[in-house]
Amino acid sequence: MPNASRKKQKERKERNIMRKSGSQKGKSPSRMIDERIKELGDWRGKMLSQLRTLIKQADPEVVEEWKWRGVPVWSHDGLICTGETS
């Protein structure tokens, strides 16, 4: 896929993400994941943070999303991983 097409696809995903996160007072999914990590404050928050770091290292173009009423999700041309902590 040409770079211009990839850029447009990424921009569309980012717009969709912002729409999905609209119920959270306009916060970005990345910010909501930051907040979830902080609010957990135990081994789950630490593990979620480590998982997030590994995913971003493996795929710098990964898209962070906030779905299903509070589940961190990472995707890139499809679902990669969820960060359920309950």
Side-chain angles (χ1 to χ4, degrees), residues 7-22:
K7 184 177 179 182
K8 286 182 182 180
Q9 183 181 22
K10 186 175 180 181
E11 289 171 357
R12 277 194 304 270
K13 283 183 181 180
E14 288 172 356
R15 281 194 304 272
N16 288 338
I17 290 166
M18 291 308 291
R19 276 188 237 129
K20 290 176 190 172
S21 65

Side-chain angles (χ1 to χ4, degrees), residues 22-79:
S23 63
Q24 294 293 322
K25 301 175 189 170
K27 294 180 186 175
S28 72
S30 294
R31 184 168 176 196
M32 289 187 285
I33 294 170
D34 290 338
E35 290 174 358
R36 172 62 52 86
I37 289 168
K38 187 175 180 178
E39 79 184 22
L40 287 169
D42 59 10
W43 68 270
R44 296 172 300 164
K46 185 175 180 179
M47 184 59 66
L48 185 58
S49 178
Q50 290 172 350
L51 176 66
R52 182 188 205 187
T53 299
L54 288 172
I55 292 168
K56 287 181 168 186
Q57 286 174 350
D59 184 357
E61 294 183 15
V62 71
V63 176
E64 293 190 317
E65 300 174 273
W66 189 258
K67 294 185 175 185
W68 310 303
R69 298 181 186 174
V71 178
V73 175
W74 291 270
S75 61
H76 185 159
D77 295 328
L79 182 68

